[in-house]
């Protein structure tokens, strides 16, 4: 076999191996529960798995998620449909396109208009592309909200209990200071004298000395 034929055979074998790897990866990505969207350096879609389409309420055969379609078109469609919440669709699209263009990480919890919360992460790829992953975190967020509410309720209970306690102590102080002789009594009956009354906190104990 000539050198040129050998090189051609090697290239063909390499392409078949790459195609096999790509097909395997696509099949694996289609079976996971996590939503997955990959775009290339030109901001065109490379791959969107079924969970990604389902999580964004897109049909399985949505033309906007097919390979080679501009990512901008998909974002615009989703923004105009209200998937990103209220606001100017152009600004919403620009905000979500920015991390991929700047090649920085992206990480948010996104409230879905149909209910639920989706955690969206973005990561730049070495080949200039970008990958988005989506996870349904509705249950996690609901549990966190339940715990936050419980903490707030317990904090309020403690604040109320503390107020009752301090109000009781203040009332005891008023009673104590009300029944103790006032300074004029000692000035009238004792002449030169001093008083030692040093409560540890608000209410004193049994130590009240006049000399």
């Amino acid at each position: 076999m000539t050198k040129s034929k050998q090189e051609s055979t090697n290239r063909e074998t390499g392409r078949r191996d790459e195609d096999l790897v790509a097909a395997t990866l696509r099949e694996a990505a289609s079976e996971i529960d996590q939503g997955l969207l990959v775009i290339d350096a030109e901001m065109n879609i490379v791959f969107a798995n079924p969970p990604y389409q389902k999580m964004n309420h897109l049909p399985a055969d949505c033309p906007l998620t097919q390979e080679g379609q501009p990512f901008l078109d998909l974002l615009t469609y989703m923004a105009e449909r209200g998937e990103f919440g209220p606001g100017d669709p152009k600004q919403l699209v620009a905000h979500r396109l920015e991390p991929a263009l700047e090649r920085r990480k992206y990480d948010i919890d996104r409230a879905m208009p149909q209910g639920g919360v989706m955690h969206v992460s973005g990561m730049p790829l070495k080949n200039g592309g970008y990958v988005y992953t989506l996870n349904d975190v509705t249950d996690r967020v609901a549990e966190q909200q339940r715990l936050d509410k419980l903490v707030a309720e317990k904090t309020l209970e403690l604040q109320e209990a503390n107020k009752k306690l301090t109000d009781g102590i203040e009332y005891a102080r008023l009673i104590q200071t009300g029944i103790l002789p006032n300074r004029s009594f000692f000035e009238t009956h004792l002449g030169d004298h001093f008083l030692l009354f040093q409560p540890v906190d608000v209410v004193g104990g049994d130590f009240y000395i006049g000399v």
Side-chain angles (χ1 to χ4, degrees):
M1 183 181 294
T2 64
K3 183 178 180 181
S4 60
K5 287 184 177 180
Q6 182 63 48
E7 290 176 348
S8 177
T9 301
N10 290 341
R11 285 195 296 271
E12 183 65 27
T13 301
R15 281 196 294 270
R16 286 200 300 268
D17 290 343
E18 289 177 359
D19 290 344
L20 178 60
V21 170
T24 302
L25 290 174
R26 286 175 179 274
E27 182 179 356
S30 298
E31 295 299 323
I32 63 176
D33 294 331
Q34 190 178 50
L36 183 67
L37 175 73
V38 183
I39 60 176
D40 61 23
E42 285 71 42
M43 298 293 113
N44 294 321
I45 292 174
V46 175
F47 175 73
N49 71 347
Y52 176 87
Q53 295 169 321
K54 183 178 180 181
M55 290 177 181
N56 286 289
H57 302 92
L58 299 168
D61 58 350
C62 178
L64 295 173
T65 60
Q66 301 305 307
E67 184 177 357
Q69 294 299 310
F71 182 43
L72 177 63
D73 291 353
L74 176 61
L75 289 177
T76 301
Y77 170 75
M78 294 172 65
E80 291 176 346
R81 203 176 62 170
E83 290 291 334
F84 302 144
D88 179 19
K90 289 185 179 180
Q91 292 182 355
L92 294 171
V93 168
H95 176 69
R96 281 158 179 79
L97 194 59
E98 194 175 79
L101 292 172
E102 296 180 354
R103 299 192 53 71
R104 59 178 171 83
K105 292 182 179 180
Y106 180 70
D107 199 56
I108 64 163
D109 282 343
R110 190 177 104 203
M112 306 299 287
Q114 298 85 355
V117 181
M118 204 68 59
H119 183 75
V120 184
S121 297
M123 177 74 69
L125 300 175
K126 291 182 179 180
N127 64 2
Y130 202 83
V131 59
Y132 290 91
T133 57
L134 282 71
N135 290 282
D136 189 337
V137 293
T138 303
D139 292 341
R140 187 201 74 188
V141 171
E143 177 63 13
Q144 185 61 53
Q145 291 174 342
R146 186 189 70 83
L147 292 175
D148 290 345
K149 181 180 178 182
L150 182 61
V151 169
E153 290 173 350
K154 293 301 180 183
T155 300
L156 182 60
E157 289 178 6
L158 289 173
Q159 290 174 340
E160 291 176 348
N162 183 65
K163 185 177 185 305
K164 290 179 180 179
L165 179 62
T166 53
D167 286 349
I169 293 174
E170 177 62 18
Y171 186 65
R173 184 191 69 81
L174 292 174
I175 294 175
Q176 184 179 59
T177 55
I179 63 175
L180 294 175
N182 56 41
R183 294 293 297 272
S184 62
F185 174 85
F186 290 102
E187 291 171 354
T188 301
H189 296 88
L190 296 180
D192 293 336
H193 68 281
F194 73 87
L195 296 175
L196 177 62
F197 180 57
Q198 292 183 307
V200 175
D201 291 307
V202 179
V203 180
D206 297 331
F207 300 99
Y208 186 84
I209 303 172
V211 178

